[in-house]
Amino acid sequence: QVLLVESGGGLVQPGGSLTLSCAAPRGIFRILNMGWYRQAPGKQRELVANISSGGSTYADSVKGRFTVSRDNAKNTVDLQMNSLKPEDTAVYYCNARLKVAPGLRERDYWGQGTQVTVSS
């Protein structure tokens, strides 16, 4: 039922930068972690970056180029993507493990997906 709202996708040239944002609804009881996955045509969905109270993790392919950050007050997570490569082209999905209310189980929620295209 909970939909994570994504923004920031688009077309960028190789070597350029792009920032993706994801917002969880207001009033969430607890956010355990938020992160980003991506899926390119013909490929499996893969983890790009994740952030929790314990720190951040990144796929090897994006380490040193991407930075994930979280704003707890706004319930948002951003993905700053630098030095973009054509192989970064994919649909990017926001993911969050949320506990919506004290009486509900924690579970994963997904954004609608946003297209990132890196091309000349």
Side-chain angles (χ1 to χ4, degrees):
Q1 293 291 319
V2 178
L3 178 64
L4 306 177
V5 180
E6 303 178 18
S7 63
L11 175 65
V12 65
Q13 294 189 3
S17 298
L18 204 62
T19 300
L20 305 182
S21 296
C22 174
R26 295 182 179 180
I28 295 296
F29 177 70
R30 185 168 68 174
I31 301 175
L32 285 80
N33 62 266
M34 299 185 74
W36 293 90
Y37 288 72
R38 68 185 181 187
Q39 187 167 21
K43 296 184 178 180
Q44 302 235 351
R45 187 174 298 187
E46 63 177 350
L47 175 67
V48 177
N50 185 76
I51 186 168
S52 67
S53 60
S56 303
T57 59
Y58 298 91
D60 289 340
S61 59
V62 307
K63 285 182 178 178
R65 299 188 298 119
F66 290 11
T67 302
V68 63
S69 61
R70 178 175 163 182
D71 188 330
N72 292 328
K74 297 180 179 180
N75 283 358
T76 59
V77 61
D78 290 350
L79 184 67
Q80 176 65 49
M81 304 183 293
N82 299 319
S83 302
L84 283 163
K85 305 174 181 179
E87 49 263 44
D88 294 318
T89 296
V91 177
Y92 284 69
Y93 297 90
C94 181
N95 170 264
R97 183 168 289 265
L98 308 176
K99 190 175 179 65
V100 178
L104 299 179
R105 303 171 185 168
E106 61 188 54
R107 57 158 291 180
D108 285 345
Y109 295 86
W110 293 88
Q112 77 279 7
T114 185
Q115 178 70 46
V116 172
T117 302
V118 184
S119 176
S120 299

